[in-house]
Amino acid sequence: MSETISYPNLIAGTFPRQTDKVIIAAGANLVAGAILGKITVGALSAVGAAVAGNTGNGTITGAPTVAAGTKPGTYRLVCQEPYADKGTFILEDPDGITLGVVTVGTAYSANGLTFTIADGSTDFAAGDSFTITVTAAAGSGQYKLCDKTATDGSQNPCAVLAEDAGSVSAVAYATVYKTGAFNSGAVSLATGTVAADVKAALEALNIYLVTADNNVNVC
């Protein structure tokens, strides 16, 4: 047996559809056909600390400000040019990529981090170092409209909303499709994200976006 449901209906053919009940994050009124991503990454926090064995006794901001989307992991600052009451440090990200130069006594604010290395009564020596450890809290597990520029996990598409749902001010419960075939002209994504951006990731989950004349059926 096969069936064909033509555009503009959401469903495209009889490919098996599995559903689930999920929580839609507050912030938007969504309509059936919205392609959703799951929030898997929560708020970021950072801890700055001196590495044992430093010659200088200056300090670094203990809780640097960290911007959304900053890469989690351990950042390293190594003193490159020490001099009286000042000095410069090279900042490297968790993958060892050099991000810039940090001057002692001057606030640094770039690459998602804001902090200051303060001079102490004993000057820094070459090789003195600090670390900044950025960690991400667990995400809420709620779902929101998929946006390829997001950094909270929702940039990864994983479901199609089966009914109108959502609220600007409160979370909502809704039914979603976790598998199935859907008309590409009946789905929606965040502004700037298009079907081609999510097609491959969805197909890996057995979610297919097809045109109205190319329905996916099970006979």
Side-chain angles (χ1 to χ4, degrees), residues 5-215:
I5 302 176
S6 61
Y7 179 85
N9 292 328
L10 176 62
I11 306 302
T14 60
F15 190 90
R17 295 182 297 279
Q18 295 181 349
T19 61
D20 195 8
K21 282 284 189 180
V22 303
I23 299 176
I24 305 298
N29 294 306
L30 303 177
V31 298
I35 295 177
L36 306 177
K38 186 176 182 180
I39 300 172
T40 57
V41 178
L44 297 173
S45 61
V47 175
V51 174
N54 281 355
T55 297
N57 62 356
T59 59
I60 190 171
T61 304
T65 301
V66 56
T70 301
K71 183 188 300 183
T74 300
Y75 293 72
R76 184 173 174 83
L77 294 124
V78 180
C79 185
Q80 180 188 42
E81 296 183 4
Y83 49 94
D85 300 325
K86 282 287 185 179
T88 58
F89 284 71
I90 298 298
L91 173 63
E92 295 181 349
D93 80 354
D95 296 320
I97 299 171
T98 299
L99 299 179
V101 177
V102 179
T103 301
V104 174
T106 300
Y108 177 89
S109 184
N111 297 294
L113 297 171
T114 300
F115 62 91
T116 301
I117 295 177
D119 186 39
S121 57
T122 301
D123 290 332
F124 291 112
D128 282 358
S129 59
F130 294 92
T131 59
I132 297 176
T133 303
V134 176
T135 57
S140 66
Q142 297 172 2
Y143 289 69
K144 62 190 288 191
L145 192 63
C146 182
D147 183 342
K148 68 179 182 180
T149 66
T151 57
D152 59 4
S154 64
Q155 68 272 24
N156 303 311
C158 61
V160 178
L161 189 61
E163 58 187 335
D164 294 353
S167 168
V168 172
S169 59
V171 300
Y173 291 88
T175 299
V176 299
Y177 295 112
K178 288 298 187 76
T179 65
F182 307 94
N183 282 315
S184 59
V187 300
S188 59
L189 290 151
T191 300
T193 303
V194 298
D197 295 323
V198 300
K199 188 173 185 292
L202 288 173
E203 288 181 353
L205 301 174
N206 288 321
I207 298 174
Y208 300 93
L209 303 182
V210 300
T211 59
D213 58 355
N214 189 28
N215 292 328

